[in-house]
């Protein structure tokens, strides 16, 4: 199944390989593309290479092969710009939230860019309002529910206006209402999305196309609904 016809390719991965220090080959030549505005599910069992692949997309891991984001190849020299284009949401939001208050967490990326404190605060509070969590602005992140933490993590990424959102097992720790809220939120966002998930129901609700990894290689691809039918893969109840 090809990416969206006529749409700009926002992400292209070519021949990506990665071997960990213990000798295990986690990626064995992955080719992948995502078009602007497209939702793609990254599927596969534990150990298939999903997270390893995602961590390469903004240079947190470096392997062999070529990664291009918004027409620019990922290199040491371009890594800063690429990281602004690839909005990575970790599986555990606690790995992403570290400031004393929610608004400071959301404003952190803007402050790193050199934006003044007051402007960054106003922008952060605006983004929190946009995601429907403005009342959390002065709360400490550790006081939040899993669903609230996920939204705050998304706010901190979205405020940098990335071209693509990359989410690693986003339903982890979320109850069914939290999953429904996340599905609705992702459906409103214009960015391309690459979502690593075990949950085929979530994949069908948030993406159109799926790529199936096995042993560090792309073993199958197609419409998510077709993959779900082919593998009869259901991990959680439909939310």
């Amino acid at each position: 199944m090809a990416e969206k016809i006529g749409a700009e390719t926002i992400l292209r991965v070519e021949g990506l390989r990665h071997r960990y220090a213990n000798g295990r080959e986690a990626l064995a030549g992955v080719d992948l593309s995502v078009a602007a505005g497209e939702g793609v599910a990254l599927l596969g069992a534990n150990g298939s290479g999903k997270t390893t692949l995602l961590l390469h997309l903004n240079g947190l891991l470096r392997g062999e092969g070529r990664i291009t984001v918004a027409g620019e190849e990922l290199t040491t020299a371009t890594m800063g710009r690429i990281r602004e284009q690839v909005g990575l949401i970790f599986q555990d939001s606690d790995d992403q939230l570290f400031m004393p208050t929610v608004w400071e967490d959301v404003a952190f990326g803007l402050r790193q860019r050199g934006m003044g404190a007051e402007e960054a605060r106003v922008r952060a509070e605006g983004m929190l309002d946009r995601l429907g969590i403005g009342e959390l602005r002065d709360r400490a992140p550790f006081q939040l529910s899993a669903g609230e933490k996920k939204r705050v993590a998304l706010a901190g990424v979205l405020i940098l206006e990335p071209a693509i959102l990359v989410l690693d097992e986003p339903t982890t720790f979320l109850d069914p209402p939290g999953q429904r809220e996340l599905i609705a939120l992702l459906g409103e966002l214009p960015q391309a999305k690459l979502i690593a998930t075990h949950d085929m129901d979530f994949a069908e609700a948030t993406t159109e196309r799926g790529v199936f990894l096995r042993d560090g290689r792309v073993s199958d691809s197609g419409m998510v609904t077709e993959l779900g039918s082919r593998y009869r893969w259901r991990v959680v109840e439909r939310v």
Side-chain angles (χ1 to χ4, degrees):
M1 178 69 186
E3 64 191 61
K4 284 186 174 181
I5 296 174
E8 174 193 3
T9 299
I10 206 69
L11 170 70
R12 189 176 299 281
V13 177
E14 300 171 275
L16 186 61
R17 296 178 176 272
H18 184 83
R19 187 180 298 274
Y20 285 104
N22 64 5
R24 182 175 72 87
E25 186 178 43
L27 300 176
V30 172
D31 296 310
L32 172 71
S33 62
V34 179
E38 184 181 25
V40 177
L42 187 61
L43 309 168
N46 287 336
S48 61
K50 300 191 303 298
T51 297
T52 300
L53 172 58
L54 298 189
L55 293 177
H56 278 77
L57 301 183
N58 64 0
L60 291 177
L61 289 178
R62 302 297 299 275
E64 300 175 5
R66 189 168 185 257
I67 297 171
T68 307
V69 179
E72 187 166 34
E73 184 174 356
L74 174 62
T75 66
T76 300
T78 65
M79 193 178 300
R81 293 192 297 274
I82 294 294
R83 286 180 173 173
E84 293 184 356
Q85 293 295 312
V86 179
L88 178 60
I89 307 295
F90 292 103
Q91 179 176 359
D92 187 346
S93 298
D94 287 333
D95 293 335
Q96 199 152 0
L97 306 176
F98 53 88
M99 296 295 284
T101 65
V102 163
W103 79 261
E104 288 174 292
D105 238 313
V106 176
F108 179 80
L110 297 178
R111 295 288 286 143
Q112 291 296 105
R113 285 184 176 180
M115 184 177 289
E118 181 60 20
E119 183 180 359
R121 182 189 64 79
V122 171
R123 291 273 302 275
E125 291 183 352
M127 179 57 69
L128 290 167
D129 287 338
R130 176 184 167 192
L131 297 190
I133 51 173
E135 73 280 2
L136 303 178
R137 58 175 55 88
D138 294 318
R139 296 269 298 276
F142 72 86
Q143 297 176 325
L144 307 180
S145 70
E148 289 169 340
K149 288 178 181 178
K150 192 67 69 175
R151 282 186 174 244
V152 172
L154 270 167
V157 164
L158 289 172
I159 204 166
L160 298 177
E161 301 180 337
I164 181 170
L165 296 175
V166 176
L167 299 96
D168 190 7
E169 300 292 352
T171 57
T172 301
F173 309 125
L174 294 185
D175 58 15
Q179 293 185 36
R180 286 194 292 270
E181 290 175 1
L182 183 58
I183 288 169
L185 175 57
L186 292 176
E188 296 171 357
L189 299 176
Q191 283 89 353
K193 302 166 191 72
L194 179 62
I195 303 176
T197 183
H198 287 98
D199 182 350
M200 283 301 302
D201 293 317
F202 183 82
E204 290 176 5
T206 55
T207 64
E208 306 90 38
R209 187 163 59 93
V211 175
F212 202 100
L213 289 188
R214 180 179 286 116
D215 298 327
R217 296 178 174 86
V218 175
S219 64
D220 203 354
S221 63
M223 296 294 292
V224 168
T225 52
E226 294 174 357
L227 290 175
S229 175
R230 195 143 64 231
Y231 292 98
R232 300 186 185 280
W233 198 27
R234 292 293 185 270
V235 180
V236 298
E237 296 180 357
R238 184 176 297 276
V239 296

